[in-house]
């Protein structure tokens, strides 16, 4: 999972994000070395190191091979732009290395009540498990789908940040599920979710929420857009994504707010308006509830 010295000269693209209080991630893309035989793999690392600079953290590492890309990163070459990728002279097979780092403050939002937390997953998310460990994460189809989305999407700038935020949470959910051997999210307690068309409606609802990150949308409006009963929509969303529609939407808005404030350098007023808040005070209250900081305090870290 580590970068070998023989791969350093083959790096063709690198991206990532480093925002205090948010999930940190990095993606490195290499030309696949000739004779490379390693299989796709994932690893979860749980680190207890309060004395270190990085402190306690949960890391996800993935190595994905076999994706095809054009060496002209923006838009591709002439053949790629003409959707004639089979004749692309600059196409190469890649090795993608992805790293995601979750801090205690980020993970705390997923545990509603520490007093009621009594599972290994809760102990990991709250860093009450006292020993560091590493564990391989099997790449199931649903996890591969999320990773493919992260490595192959066409979003840029603001939309890229929103998209990666949402996908990263799904990676965390699936990785913990695989690590702990818990099968709850595979069990369909809502009978209507046995229907593929209804599951697609729930997925569409998540996409609609992301698309309306700056235009607050009610559950009634959301249910109309995906043509699903409100009650079914709420129950199905909670079962598929492990969170309520409101909590998911608020989390995405606040994570995007961090990005706009810290990386894009926008003012609190501008971010408040972009995310559809009626007043700066309402935005600041929501931001502090989510991050533990006032918006202006983030910029001082």
């Amino acid at each position: 999972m580590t970068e070998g010295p023989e791969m350093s000269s083959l790096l063709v693209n690198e991206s990532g994000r480093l925002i205090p209080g948010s999930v940190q991630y990095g993606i490195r893309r290499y030309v696949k070395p000739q004779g490379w035989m390693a299989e796709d793999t994932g690893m979860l690392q749980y680190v207890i190191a309060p004395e270190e600079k990085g402190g306690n953290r949960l890391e996800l590492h993935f190595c994905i091979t076999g994706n095809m890309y054009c060496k002209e990163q923006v838009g591709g070459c002439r053949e790629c732009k003409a959707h004639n990728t089979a004749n692309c002279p600059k196409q190469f097979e890649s090795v993608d290395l992805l790293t995601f780092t979750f801090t205690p403050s980020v993970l705390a939002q997923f545990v509603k009540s520490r007093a009621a937390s009594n599972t290994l997953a809760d102990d990991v998310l709250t860093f009450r498990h006292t020993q560091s460990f590493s564990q391989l994460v099997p790449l199931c189809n649903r996890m591969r789908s999320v990773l493919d989305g992260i490595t192959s999407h066409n979003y840029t700038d603001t939309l890229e940040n929103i998209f990666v935020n949402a996908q990263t949470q799904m990676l965390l959910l699936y990785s913990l599920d695989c690590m702990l051997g818990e099968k709850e999210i595979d069990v369909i307690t809502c009978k209507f979710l046995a229907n593929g068309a209804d599951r697609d409606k729930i997925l569409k609802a998540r996409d609609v929420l992301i698309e309306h990150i700056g235009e607050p949308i009610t559950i009634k409006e959301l249910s109309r857009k995906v043509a699903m009963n409100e009650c079914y929509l709420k129950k199905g969303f909670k079962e598929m994504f492990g969170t309520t529609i409101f909590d998911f939407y608020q989390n995405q808005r606040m994570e995007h707010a961090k990005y706009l404030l810290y990386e894009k350098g926008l003012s609190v007023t501008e971010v408040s308006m972009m995310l559809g808040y009626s007043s700066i005070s309402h935005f600041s209250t929501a931001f502090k509830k989510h991050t533990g900081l006032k918006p202006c305090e983030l910029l001082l870290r």
Side-chain angles (χ1 to χ4, degrees):
M1 298 301 293
T2 58
E3 178 185 333
E6 71 280 6
M7 294 185 66
S8 59
S9 62
L10 300 174
L11 181 67
V12 293
N13 191 37
E14 185 172 12
S15 61
R17 187 184 69 175
L18 182 63
I19 302 176
S22 290
V23 177
Q24 318 297 332
Y25 71 85
I27 303 173
R28 291 192 177 113
R29 178 166 298 150
Y30 298 85
V31 175
K32 182 179 178 181
Q34 187 173 8
W36 177 276
M37 298 298 291
E39 296 183 356
D40 294 352
T41 185
M43 178 177 288
L44 182 149
Q45 290 186 308
Y46 175 81
V47 182
I48 296 295
E51 72 286 351
E52 294 182 6
K53 183 178 180 180
N56 297 341
R57 59 195 182 275
L58 182 69
E59 298 178 353
L60 297 177
H61 301 270
F62 300 96
C63 178
I64 307 297
T65 64
N67 290 325
M68 301 300 295
Y69 299 98
C70 179
K71 289 185 179 178
E72 290 191 19
Q73 296 297 320
V74 181
C77 65
R78 181 181 302 175
E79 296 291 346
C80 291
K81 290 178 180 178
H83 304 290
N84 192 18
T85 56
N87 294 324
C88 171
K90 299 183 178 182
Q91 200 171 67
F92 67 94
E93 191 172 1
S94 75
V95 174
D96 292 327
L97 301 183
L98 302 88
T99 298
F100 303 86
T101 301
F102 302 83
T103 62
S105 60
V106 170
L107 295 176
Q109 64 185 292
F110 301 114
V111 180
K112 294 301 181 184
S113 171
R114 291 179 64 92
S117 301
N118 56 12
T119 67
L120 177 56
D122 292 325
D123 286 346
V124 168
L125 292 175
T126 56
F127 287 87
R128 292 184 305 203
H129 189 73
T130 58
Q131 298 295 320
S132 298
F133 64 84
S134 298
Q135 185 161 332
L136 291 178
V137 176
L139 299 185
C140 56
N141 289 335
R142 59 187 180 177
M143 193 175 293
R144 286 184 181 277
S145 178
V146 174
L147 290 168
D148 285 344
I150 292 176
T151 57
S152 305
H153 69 82
N154 293 317
Y155 295 113
T156 58
D157 200 39
T158 292
L159 291 180
E160 178 182 24
N161 177 66
I162 296 171
F163 177 79
V164 174
N165 273 341
Q167 299 299 90
T168 298
Q169 288 188 20
M170 298 309 296
L171 275 182
L172 175 64
L173 171 64
Y174 295 157
S175 296
L176 286 173
D177 181 59
C178 289
M179 178 196 77
L180 300 172
E182 296 177 349
K183 301 303 178 185
E184 285 86 346
I185 64 174
D186 286 331
V187 176
I188 298 178
T189 57
C190 297
K191 293 183 179 179
F192 67 90
L193 287 183
N195 185 324
D198 285 330
R199 292 197 301 273
D200 288 342
K201 289 180 181 180
I202 301 295
L203 292 172
K204 181 181 178 182
R206 186 192 68 161
D207 292 341
V208 171
L209 289 172
I210 292 173
E211 291 167 2
H212 286 74
I213 201 76
E215 308 166 48
I217 183 172
T218 67
I219 292 180
K220 179 176 290 187
E221 292 170 330
L222 183 62
S223 69
R224 289 174 180 171
K225 284 183 176 292
V226 301
M228 175 174 275
N229 174 280
E230 288 182 45
C231 182
Y232 280 12
L233 176 60
K234 290 188 287 187
K235 289 181 177 180
F237 196 98
K238 179 66 180 293
E239 178 162 332
M240 286 185 65
F241 299 116
T243 184
T244 66
I245 293 174
F246 177 78
D247 285 345
F248 173 84
Y249 184 61
Q250 280 296 91
N251 181 69
Q252 298 307 312
R253 293 174 90 192
M254 293 302 101
E255 286 300 309
H256 190 49
K258 293 179 189 176
Y259 168 81
L260 294 174
L261 289 166
Y262 192 83
E263 275 203 6
K264 305 302 290 184
L266 300 185
S267 69
V268 175
T269 300
E270 290 172 322
V271 174
S272 175
M273 293 177 61
M274 288 182 68
L275 294 181
Y277 279 88
S278 58
S279 70
I280 296 176
S281 62
H282 288 166
F283 166 65
S284 296
T285 299
F287 190 88
K288 185 169 184 179
K289 182 178 180 180
H290 178 79
T291 66
L293 299 170
K294 294 180 180 179
C296 58
E297 294 175 333
L298 174 71
L299 303 178
L300 301 176
R301 297 184 69 182

